[in-house]
Amino acid sequence: LNRMVARPVKYPQSSDVIPMINKLTFDPHFDAAVRTVFGKMLICRNLDVASQYSLSDNLDCTTLAGDQISRRGAMTGGFLDSRRSRMEAQRSKAQLSKQVETEEADLQIVKRELE
């Protein structure tokens, strides 16, 4: 621990990102170790911002939703919103298609009655 030296990192100045090290509380005795592990991490507003800063500033990024983008290009993690899943969208589409068919049949009945 006494031999660790953390390199200084230049963080981007933007309202869309926060250096993770600024959000951590730790004993100053472990400063070099914590900066070595978390010094090149940013917390970003969304995935687009994270991918931009990951590439341009060579920093690892984590979004508020939990997605991680490595400065080497890998993307991992995140939260899967069931309201946005493909299977749920397919179920919703099928249900709405049935509803449209029913409404069209009712419309045909009303048209016949009017004639």
Side-chain angles (χ1 to χ4, degrees):
L1 196 60
N2 62 350
R3 294 181 186 191
M4 292 186 89
V5 178
R7 296 180 189 164
V9 177
K10 185 173 187 242
Y11 298 109
Q13 299 299 316
S14 172
S15 62
D16 290 334
V17 298
I18 300 170
M20 187 176 283
I21 198 79
N22 292 352
K23 295 295 179 182
L24 300 175
T25 55
F26 52 89
D27 187 336
H29 178 72
F30 301 110
D31 184 66
V34 173
R35 286 193 183 279
T36 300
V37 175
F38 297 107
K40 289 191 152 224
M41 290 287 297
L42 291 177
I43 301 171
C44 300
R45 183 176 308 278
N46 58 39
L47 199 56
D48 295 330
V49 171
S51 62
Q52 174 190 358
Y53 283 107
S54 177
L55 293 174
S56 66
D57 294 309
N58 196 31
L59 297 169
D60 293 331
C61 299
T62 301
T63 66
L64 297 174
D67 296 311
Q68 293 181 337
I69 299 181
S70 169
R71 60 185 174 260
R72 294 176 183 93
M75 294 175 59
T76 59
F79 170 72
L80 179 60
D81 189 357
S82 63
R83 293 175 293 179
R84 291 185 166 189
S85 74
R86 288 184 179 168
M87 290 181 67
E88 184 61 34
Q90 188 65 27
R91 280 189 215 112
S92 178
K93 179 184 171 192
Q95 181 182 10
L96 291 172
S97 294
K98 284 182 181 180
Q99 186 177 354
V100 166
E101 288 174 10
T102 304
E103 295 296 328
E104 285 178 346
D106 291 345
L107 178 63
Q108 293 300 325
I109 292 170
V110 171
K111 280 184 179 180
R112 284 188 208 126
E113 289 176 0
L114 289 175
E115 293 174 349

